Amino acid sequence: RTDRRSWLESRFSPSSTILDAAISLFGNHDVSAIHEHAGSIEQVEATIAEVSMHIDAAQEKKRNRIIFVSGAPGAGKTLVGLRLAFDARFREEAVFVTGNAPLVDVLTEALKRSYKKRVARAAGPISGYPKENARLLIENSMFKIVKAHSFLGERGKRTSSSDGRVVIFDEAQRTYEKGRRVMNKPLEDHEADMILASLEDSYESGAVVVALLGHNQAINRGERGAIAWLEAAERRGWDYSIADESLALAEFEQREHWRDHPARLALSAGHLSQSLRFYRNSSVEAWVHCVMENDVAGALTLSEELVKEGHQVLLTRSIETARQWARDHRIGDERAGLIATGQARRLAAEGLFVDQKPSIAQWMLAPSGDIRSSNMLESVQNQFQIQGLELDYAIVCWDADLRRNGGDWDAWKISGSRWQKDAAVAIAKNSYRVLLTRAHKGMIIYVPTGDETGEDTTRAPEFYETIVAH
């Protein structure tokens, strides 16, 4: 029938969350035709094509090479990495390594649930796998995805393509510096150097690292940052491919040195500038930047643009109002959730416990009605758990760990029974950048009113007034 043929030949149009994209990839669907993001997807496709050419060239010329892909939160870096990892040209030798351990947990659980649903619907086994072999199927689906800080240890244990010649390193800026304790022992060298050395030990030539870099995303102490890969490449004689836009990011110093370096090859599509996450507008990340840089005028201008685009960022002093807003907006399988920083410990007075750390896989995937689900709006996830993941509707809970002091932000952390000033202001600001860029469709910011009785000095109302005063 004509209508059947039209349906079969039409574009596949899933939702654009990374979970849906990953499941589609494992199912051999084409996720490039996400119609809401035509412009952004074209940019992603161009990046994949150019990176693929540089991988092929490095292997043909028997040169070790690092290829950098940068982009703002939600720009599609992880999607690029997954596409490359499961591309027919590279899947035999590629491994997807991520500095985002929660993403691995969520992907594993998502694939498990997807497989079980397919088996339940099918009259017989799927793809030759009987129901009792679901565990085997999941393991063979996930063996290409490795947690970053386990990668060096796992290379000595695995003999399949997890020990591949092409390593796609998501959140590559999160590699640790020499001396940082990883897997219960201090690193003997910077982690980036150790990874390159490990690849050299396995392959004489033609090893490739695709480094996916998020900027303004440093939220852990002891991270060496993106520059570690360039320094390691120089020390070990690797080529590197990088775009001018990537080198212009604040994470890179001595830009002229790296731009004009004889080992450098230029990329034209190595930086993803458009957001996949905020499909109805392109102003949210710019607004967040203004807020974090205390640019009041810029934030006000952008907020007006957001309203015109139909995307409001709301502020409330009531957690119940925030919950009701999320319930009123979320429909069907959409996700809503409470998120806060790991230092937001005085939210405990509001019933939000950032130290509890519920299972991120259950929180992201359990259906409404399940008390483990984010949709119940009871448990809260911090920036470490939610980075790289996204919600349809986010309730960002803002504590006194980041508050204004005149024209700038100050960072604080609880020490004993009082707040103590924290010198790591950039990390604190980046933590809130992560939270403020998790929403797929809408966001409400909850700032408590504090303890007006004066009994609890850790929740003085003036702390919170500095956050909402502008």
Side-chain angles (χ1 to χ4, degrees), residues 164-180:
R165 189 186 301 266
V166 179
V167 178
I168 299 154
F169 205 111
D170 194 25
E171 300 290 353
Q173 76 281 358
R174 297 181 68 173
T175 54
Y176 286 135
E177 62 188 3
K178 180 179 180 179
R180 178 70 151 78

Side-chain angles (χ1 to χ4, degrees), residues 60-359:
E60 289 172 6
K61 296 177 180 178
K62 300 187 183 303
R63 294 290 300 173
N64 294 331
R65 181 174 299 175
I66 304 175
I67 305 170
F68 292 90
V69 175
S70 62
K77 299 182 299 296
T78 303
L79 181 57
V80 167
L82 287 170
R83 283 281 301 275
L84 290 168
F86 292 92
D87 189 294
R89 292 168 292 179
F90 311 122
R91 65 168 60 126
E92 294 299 322
E93 55 186 4
V95 55
F96 183 86
V97 182
T98 177
N100 187 346
L103 176 63
V104 178
D105 296 336
V106 176
L107 284 173
T108 304
E109 182 63 23
L111 287 165
K112 186 185 301 182
R113 290 171 183 241
S114 177
Y115 176 74
K116 288 181 177 179
K117 285 180 181 178
R118 291 176 64 196
V119 169
R121 289 196 302 265
I126 298 173
S127 302
Y129 289 95
K131 186 174 181 179
E132 59 269 21
N133 284 351
R135 179 171 172 269
L136 176 65
L137 178 62
I138 298 301
E139 288 178 353
N140 281 277
S141 295
M142 293 304 296
F143 77 119
K144 293 168 70 67
I145 299 181
V146 180
K147 296 180 182 180
H149 304 309
S150 303
F151 176 66
L152 288 169
E154 293 191 10
R155 282 183 64 78
K157 301 174 185 176
R158 294 172 181 263
T159 57
S160 62
S161 65
S162 280
D163 204 22
R165 189 186 301 266
V166 179
V167 178
I168 299 154
F169 205 111
D170 194 25
E171 300 290 353
Q173 76 281 358
R174 297 181 68 173
T175 54
Y176 286 135
E177 62 188 3
K178 180 179 180 179
R180 178 70 151 78
R181 294 192 69 84
V182 176
M183 308 293 285
N184 296 318
K185 62 180 181 180
L187 290 174
E188 297 176 1
D189 200 348
H190 295 317
E191 196 171 15
D193 288 81
M194 294 177 70
I195 290 169
L196 298 193
S198 174
L199 289 170
E200 290 169 5
D201 289 343
S202 299
Y203 307 103
E204 292 182 3
S205 60
V208 176
V209 172
V210 180
L212 308 176
L213 302 174
H215 56 94
N216 291 324
Q217 296 282 288
I219 57 176
N220 285 301
R221 290 170 171 81
E223 289 178 351
R224 184 73 183 92
I227 195 67
W229 293 97
L230 285 178
E231 293 173 345
E234 185 175 52
R235 280 190 288 266
R236 308 198 69 85
W238 285 46
D239 295 340
Y240 61 90
S241 304
I242 192 167
D244 288 341
E245 294 89 342
S246 300
L247 283 174
L249 299 176
E251 283 81 353
F252 292 106
E253 300 173 349
Q254 298 179 309
R255 295 181 185 87
E256 293 79 10
H257 171 75
W258 301 113
R259 184 193 62 205
D260 301 329
H261 199 288
R264 187 238 176 160
L265 295 94
L267 288 177
S268 59
H271 180 71
L272 297 165
S273 58
Q274 301 180 47
S275 174
L276 289 169
R277 182 171 296 138
F278 296 100
Y279 64 85
R280 288 186 296 173
N281 68 86
S282 58
S283 305
V284 171
E285 281 128 13
W287 176 81
V288 171
H289 177 75
C290 288
V291 171
M292 289 296 100
E293 298 306 313
N294 222 22
D295 179 0
V296 177
L300 284 172
T301 300
L302 286 166
S303 67
E304 293 172 1
E305 292 183 18
L306 289 173
V307 171
K308 290 177 183 177
E309 293 169 353
H311 187 108
Q312 290 181 316
V313 177
L314 304 176
L315 174 69
T316 182
R317 310 302 298 277
S318 165
I319 187 61
E320 286 309 316
T321 298
R323 286 187 172 113
Q324 192 58 51
W325 173 86
R327 294 186 187 109
D328 290 344
H329 284 78
R330 190 194 66 77
I331 58 174
D333 292 332
E334 291 177 339
R335 305 300 300 187
L338 297 156
I339 53 179
T341 70
Q343 292 293 341
R345 292 189 170 89
R346 291 313 298 134
L347 291 176
E350 312 295 335
L352 305 173
F353 303 97
V354 296
D355 289 327
Q356 281 191 348
K357 299 178 183 177
S359 164

Side-chain angles (χ1 to χ4, degrees), residues 355-396:
D355 289 327
Q356 281 191 348
K357 299 178 183 177
S359 164
I360 187 63
Q362 299 297 341
W363 194 82
M364 286 293 300
L365 298 170
S368 299
D370 187 322
I371 60 172
R372 300 168 297 177
S373 170
S374 69
N375 287 341
M376 299 303 284
L377 303 178
E378 293 180 2
S379 56
V380 59
Q381 294 287 0
N382 65 30
Q383 75 273 27
F384 304 107
Q385 294 290 92
I386 201 69
Q387 187 179 36
L389 299 169
E390 57 192 29
L391 298 162
D392 292 293
Y393 298 98
I395 301 175
V396 178

